[in-house]
Amino acid sequence: MQLFKFFEIALVVLTLGSGLVLLFDRLYWRKRRLARAGLLDDGSEPVLVDWSRSFFPVLAVVLVVRSFVAEPYRIPSSSMMPNLLIGDFILVNKFSYGLRLPITNAKIIPTWEPQRGDVVVFKPPHDPDQNWIKRIIGLPGDRVGFHGNTLYLNGEPVTYQLKGNYIGQGPGADMTGKSLLVENLPGREHTVLEDLRFVHPFGQGDWVVPEGQYFVMGDNRDHSEDSRFWTQTSFLPDELLRGKAFIIWLNCQDWFCKGSFDASRIGTRIQ
């Protein structure tokens, strides 16, 4: 998702640049043009000023909406199946966890705290140039365990209901045959995928979540690079949160929708 980083920087630079051009024009250049009008100059605006006047309002609105209201992302992997599919385009609420500055992501106004079960977009600690999406499993102070195919919270096993075998479609077809389960996460029921026929030796262990950090996991438990596998740190710091995913607004196979298109997913709330 480095494209988003480039777009964010370009948007900020263009907005500030066009705004400064208009400011200098209002304070200095316009007066000089009017003073020369009728002599050797007709007083018309330079092309740069004309372009800035046209584009600055649009750029400013996009910057404010994208930075403080909602931002679009595209799901590139199967780590959040069955709830988020490859090709889902989602919107992320940018003020759920505090208003943050663009580029630096520094929190300037606190709002609400993340809740267990929230699906969040964030910058992974080991690769801060990217944006990932996972589900918050552990809050500060929680004891999280994963043994066999079972999640434990504060010493208690989370309960599951088997819904049957999953049938995948399109890019997710290789997940067909996985067990589709309802995970009774305290405060938030949601579905997960697991292969109950095997116990994977990796990603097993116990963790205590530090203050100001979170433990995150993908819903596709056997195909998610999440807190269980982060070697430098198993936790997501609060300052790396980007926002809370809340709705799917499109599903197709690439940015230009040249591949398959699934209209049934449009408007789906992210649980």
Side-chain angles (χ1 to χ4, degrees):
M1 295 189 180
Q2 293 184 359
L3 176 63
F4 285 104
K5 181 72 172 181
F6 172 79
F7 179 78
E8 187 173 37
I9 294 173
L11 180 60
V12 170
V13 170
L14 289 173
T15 304
L16 290 178
S18 59
L20 287 173
V21 168
L22 293 179
L23 178 62
F24 275 96
D25 182 65
R26 183 177 183 86
L27 295 177
Y28 304 108
W29 301 332
R30 185 165 177 255
K31 295 177 182 178
R32 296 175 61 183
R33 286 200 309 275
L34 293 176
R36 294 198 305 265
L39 298 176
L40 300 176
D41 197 323
D42 62 2
S44 60
E45 291 184 341
V47 173
L48 182 60
V49 175
D50 184 46
W51 284 2
S52 297
R53 194 176 304 283
S54 299
F55 288 111
F56 175 73
V58 177
L59 292 170
V61 169
V62 173
L63 178 62
V64 169
V65 170
R66 187 180 182 277
S67 300
F68 305 118
V69 181
E71 184 174 9
Y73 289 92
R74 179 179 179 272
I75 303 300
S77 73
S78 63
S79 70
M80 287 299 292
M81 290 177 65
N83 299 297
L84 293 174
L85 308 181
I86 298 173
D88 279 344
F89 288 77
I90 65 172
L91 285 179
V92 174
N93 187 329
K94 296 302 294 287
F95 58 85
S96 290
Y97 309 132
L99 296 183
R100 300 172 187 263
L101 292 174
I103 302 177
T104 66
N105 204 46
K107 186 186 295 187
I108 54 175
I109 301 177
T111 53
W112 300 278
E113 297 296 323
Q115 301 297 309
R116 186 183 290 110
D118 286 355
V119 177
V120 296
V121 170
F122 60 91
K123 294 182 176 297
H126 51 283
D127 196 354
D129 288 335
Q130 295 197 34
N131 291 303
W132 288 12
I133 185 166
K134 306 292 179 191
R135 187 181 300 273
I136 291 180
I137 299 297
L139 299 175
D142 280 345
R143 291 180 290 117
V144 179
F146 195 78
H147 299 281
N149 291 308
T150 301
L151 174 68
Y152 291 78
L153 279 176
N154 299 314
E156 297 294 328
V158 174
T159 60
Y160 299 84
Q161 286 85 45
L162 178 63
K163 295 188 68 174
N165 291 329
Y166 182 72
I167 300 176
Q169 298 180 350
D174 57 344
M175 296 298 131
T176 296
K178 304 289 185 182
S179 295
L180 180 63
L181 304 162
V182 175
E183 182 175 77
N184 298 303
L185 194 66
R188 186 76 59 84
E189 279 189 356
H190 64 102
T191 52
V192 298
L193 289 182
E194 287 196 63
D195 192 338
L196 300 180
R197 298 170 297 175
F198 305 100
V199 174
H200 295 272
F202 305 106
Q204 308 282 322
D206 295 280
W207 304 265
V208 178
V209 185
E211 193 64 33
Q213 302 193 54
Y214 306 95
F215 193 92
V216 297
M217 295 176 66
D219 293 341
N220 191 355
R221 293 292 161 77
D222 299 327
H223 295 270
S224 174
E225 184 182 346
D226 51 44
S227 286
R228 296 171 293 168
F229 303 98
W230 297 349
T231 56
Q232 296 178 348
T233 174
S234 298
F235 309 105
L236 170 66
D238 179 80
E239 59 266 24
L240 296 182
L241 285 169
R242 298 284 288 178
K244 179 182 177 181
F246 69 97
I247 198 169
I248 299 168
W249 59 275
L250 183 65
N251 175 280
C252 56
Q253 294 310 307
D254 52 43
W255 283 101
F256 302 100
C257 291
K258 295 179 180 178
S260 62
F261 172 77
D262 186 355
S264 67
R265 296 190 60 77
I266 297 175
T268 302
R269 300 287 299 184
I270 299 172
Q271 302 294 329

